[in-house]
Amino acid sequence: MKKELLELADIITANVTANVSKKVTANVVNCTKEVLTSAEAAEYMGVSKSYLYKLTMRQQIPHYKPTGKMCYFNRLELEKWLQRHRNATDEELDQQAVAYCNGKGGDK
């Protein structure tokens, strides 16, 4: 019984290690590739393929269709797209408020 449990533990450990290794390799590849497929782009962005498809159909995300069917994405363009509409921190908002009030003669 103990031997069987050890063998089962070894099998599980090997499977987990192989899966983790595949994920790490995929992440490294996706972070270094310039052009990504739809599946790679969805994984890179952390969204579902169906949501990515909606974004492409609505022309809301930069993409390429060289053959008219398959979608490809430039990784750097995806990064820029993901980082648009930055939200300011509380400190930045406070500084903007002070600058606005000082510029308007707020403390007369």
Side-chain angles (χ1 to χ4, degrees):
M1 177 75 165
K2 189 174 182 182
K3 182 179 178 182
E4 292 166 343
L5 287 176
L6 289 174
E7 288 175 2
L8 183 59
D10 287 342
I11 291 170
I12 291 171
T13 302
N15 285 339
V16 168
T17 303
N19 287 337
V20 168
S21 177
K22 286 179 187 176
K23 284 282 189 187
V24 168
T25 301
N27 285 338
V28 168
V29 168
N30 287 348
C31 289
T32 57
K33 280 179 74 175
E34 251 184 83
V35 178
L36 303 175
T37 65
S38 295
E40 292 168 338
E43 184 176 337
Y44 180 76
M45 296 170 58
V47 300
S48 67
K49 288 193 286 186
S50 63
Y51 181 66
L52 183 62
Y53 177 76
K54 283 181 187 177
L55 293 172
T56 60
M57 290 299 102
R58 294 177 182 164
Q59 300 295 315
Q60 293 179 331
I61 191 166
H63 62 283
Y64 300 88
K65 288 187 172 186
T67 60
K69 188 170 182 173
M70 292 284 294
C71 274
Y72 296 94
F73 301 84
N74 180 291
R75 184 180 50 81
L76 295 176
E77 289 177 355
L78 289 179
E79 287 178 14
K80 286 180 186 176
W81 185 84
L82 287 168
Q83 293 179 12
R84 74 196 195 297
H85 304 301
R86 181 181 177 276
N87 291 330
T89 64
D90 286 341
E91 183 179 336
E92 291 169 335
L93 292 174
D94 289 343
Q95 290 172 355
Q96 290 173 7
V98 168
Y100 178 80
C101 290
N102 288 341
K104 292 285 187 179
D107 45 20
K108 285 188 177 179

